[in-house]
Amino acid sequence: MLHWLPFCTYLVVAIIITIDAFSRYRQFGKCLTVFACFCYFVIILRLCLTPISFSFISADRNLRYFHGVPYNLIPFQQLDLEWFLNIIMTIPLGILLYLIGRKSPFVVILCLSLLSSFFIEGNQFVCDFLFQIDRVADIDDIITNTLGSIIGFYGLKLFDRGVIDKIIQPFFLS
C-alpha cells in the first residue's frame, strides 16, 4: 500500500489545484481546459508514479544503480517502443501548454517541457528510492518527453489558423 502514497498525495494536490482553478474560470471552454489538465495530470501520475506492472525496458540498456534504484544517464543507447510512447504521451502536454500560453516564446516552452520531464523522472527516482515503485529514471525519457511537448505545442500552433482558431478560441486560458 505504501507504493501508492506518491500517487495519492499528488492526486489530492491536483484536486485542490483544480477546484481552485474552477473558481477562477466561469466559461465552459476554460473549465473544460482546466478539467483536461487535471485528467492529463492524473493519467501521467498513473503511468509514471505507480508501482509498475509491465516494462518496455530491455536487458540491453546499461543501467546504473543508486542504493538499488536503477537510472540511466547515457542517452540514445537504443531506439525502441518506449521512445515513441514517451513522445506520444507528452504531445497532449504541449497542446495544453498552447491553450494556457499560446504566445509563449520557444525558450519558455522548452523550459516548461524540460521541467515537466525532470519532474516525472526525478519523482520516479525519488519514489523508487523511498517507496520501491520499480521505476527507472532515464535520460532518454527526459529527451523524448521534452520533444513530445514541443511537438504538441507547435503542432497545434500550425493548425491555429482560420476555422480552427474559432473552434479552439473558447478553450484558451490566456
Side-chain angles (χ1 to χ4, degrees):
M1 186 64 180
L2 192 60
H3 303 309
W4 288 86
L5 185 63
F7 173 81
C8 294
T9 303
Y10 280 121
L11 181 62
V12 169
V13 170
I15 290 170
I16 292 168
I17 291 170
T18 302
I19 290 170
D20 179 58
F22 275 137
S23 70
R24 283 186 271 139
Y25 297 109
R26 298 289 180 210
Q27 296 95 350
F28 176 74
K30 293 182 185 324
C31 286
L32 196 57
T33 300
V34 168
F35 184 69
C37 288
F38 170 76
C39 290
Y40 180 74
F41 186 71
V42 171
I43 290 168
I44 293 299
L45 286 177
R46 175 63 180 97
L47 289 172
C48 300
L49 290 181
T50 56
I52 195 165
S53 58
F54 62 90
S55 178
F56 293 107
I57 297 173
S58 66
D60 296 339
R61 199 166 283 173
N62 184 14
L63 297 177
R64 304 272 189 236
Y65 292 87
F66 176 80
H67 295 284
V69 178
Y71 65 94
N72 173 34
L73 295 178
I74 303 169
F76 311 116
Q77 288 186 43
Q78 61 188 150
L79 287 173
D80 54 8
L81 181 61
E82 187 180 2
W83 259 77
F84 301 104
L85 291 176
N86 276 319
I87 291 171
I88 290 168
M89 177 184 79
T90 52
I91 286 174
L93 175 61
I95 291 170
L96 291 169
L97 286 174
Y98 188 76
L99 293 175
I100 293 168
R102 67 179 163 172
K103 295 181 181 175
S104 300
F106 176 76
V107 172
V108 171
I109 299 306
L110 178 65
C111 288
L112 289 173
S113 298
L114 274 169
L115 283 173
S116 66
S117 298
F118 279 117
F119 173 80
I120 293 169
E121 295 305 309
N123 270 286
Q124 283 182 338
F125 184 82
V126 170
C127 290
D128 194 37
F129 180 73
L130 295 175
F131 305 106
Q132 291 78 42
I133 62 172
D134 297 324
R135 296 296 179 149
V136 176
D138 193 342
I139 190 69
D140 288 339
D141 292 351
I142 292 173
I143 295 166
T144 54
N145 292 347
T146 302
L147 182 61
S149 298
I150 291 170
I151 289 170
F153 184 90
Y154 286 101
L156 187 57
K157 189 172 191 144
L158 285 173
F159 290 110
D160 187 12
R161 305 278 189 262
V163 176
I164 301 279
D165 180 47
K166 292 184 182 14
I167 293 170
I168 62 175
Q169 188 66 37
F171 301 101
F172 287 119
L173 295 183
S174 56

